[in-house]
Amino acid sequence: SARVVVLISGTGSNMAALLEAAEDPEYGAAVVAVGSDRENAAGLELAEKAGVPVFAEPFRGRGERAAWNADLAARIASYHPDLVVSAGFMRILGREVIDVAPVVNLHPALLPSFPGAHAVRDALAHGVRVTGSTVHFVDEGVDTGPIIDQVAVRVEPGDDEASLHARIKAVESRLLVETVGRLAREGWRLEGRHVRPGAAGNERAEEN
Ligand code: GAR
């Protein structure tokens, strides 16, 4: 199986969906650790209860971003992942982390619309009728990397941020679980911004 490290900042419901899927040996990916930028993230306790190793690398403020990012990269690298999954991880990842292994991020909007930390609020404020969720590879920009897959969610007339986010969350965990499993089982290659199925690009996943 492909070795996956999951990064979270809060509840970890998408991480929990990945843990459940990864119990099936045919899934193709195993979660080898869950990490967070917050020591008290609820999802860490959930992962611990499921018997998965956890770690926290608390964010130390903007002035220490580079050092924090390097420490986070070292912690992740110690688990020798083939893939890193950012599932509700609310910090920007730097070059050192991306260099450890490819990073897949889950974002609650149809990128390239509404990048950043307030995607659901921003979509609502803009008045769009359709938004959704995106899984993409992380590059050095903020939510700018190659898109792997997306799912659409309609905005309903009475929606507020909480109700819309709840409907996005109801579909995005399946999007994430299906995408990570497919990447792990089938591999992928990048053609410019296009993510294609196929072998090249995850040679390390093939070794296991
Ligand atoms: C998810 O909706 C995810 O798409 C979003 O945070 C939520 C985490 O929920 N991510 C971002 O906003 C990233 N900018 P969870 O902790 O219950 O999985």
Side-chain angles (χ1 to χ4, degrees):
S1 279
R3 298 172 60 84
V4 173
V5 170
V6 182
L7 300 177
I8 61 164
S9 292
T11 316
S13 54
N14 288 288
M15 170 216 73
L18 270 177
L19 288 184
E20 199 187 319
E23 279 171 22
D24 180 353
E26 313 243 296
Y27 179 61
V31 179
V32 295
V34 174
S36 180
D37 59 318
R38 292 181 50 217
E39 246 153 1
N40 55 355
L44 285 186
E45 207 173 313
L46 230 138
E48 224 168 2
K49 279 193 186 133
V52 177
V54 302
F55 65 90
E57 192 58 55
F59 190 68
R60 308 189 287 261
R62 280 159 195 266
E64 288 223 46
R65 177 180 293 283
W68 168 80
N69 189 70
D71 290 348
L72 179 64
R75 297 292 284 273
I76 295 169
S78 74
Y79 294 98
H80 304 288
D82 300 300
L83 198 66
V84 175
V85 175
S86 156
F89 188 69
M90 302 305 285
R91 303 272 172 207
I92 296 160
L93 294 169
R95 178 44 58 197
E96 290 97 329
V97 170
I98 304 166
D99 282 346
V100 174
V103 183
V104 170
N105 180 48
L106 179 67
H107 183 77
L110 294 176
L111 293 172
S113 289
F114 313 116
H118 307 289
V120 180
R121 188 193 305 170
D122 294 346
L124 208 51
H126 198 91
V128 296
R129 311 309 299 269
V130 178
T131 183
S133 179
T134 300
V135 272
H136 67 97
F137 283 115
V138 173
D139 63 12
E140 276 179 295
V142 178
D143 300 324
T144 52
I147 290 168
I148 309 166
D149 205 355
Q150 296 182 301
V151 63
V153 172
R154 283 200 73 83
V155 179
E156 301 296 347
D159 264 337
D160 59 14
E161 188 179 356
S163 65
L164 181 55
H165 200 171
R167 283 209 315 291
I168 291 171
K169 287 183 85 160
V171 294
E172 71 178 352
S173 63
R174 196 173 59 202
L175 175 72
L176 181 69
V177 164
E178 286 178 358
T179 301
V180 169
R182 197 172 60 243
L183 292 173
R185 291 188 304 273
E186 299 173 6
W188 72 90
R189 62 203 159 76
L190 276 175
E191 285 174 18
R193 290 197 55 87
H194 301 274
V195 182
R196 313 284 194 204
N202 71 333
E203 290 86 358
R204 284 179 301 165
E206 299 286 299
E207 281 165 19
N208 298 304

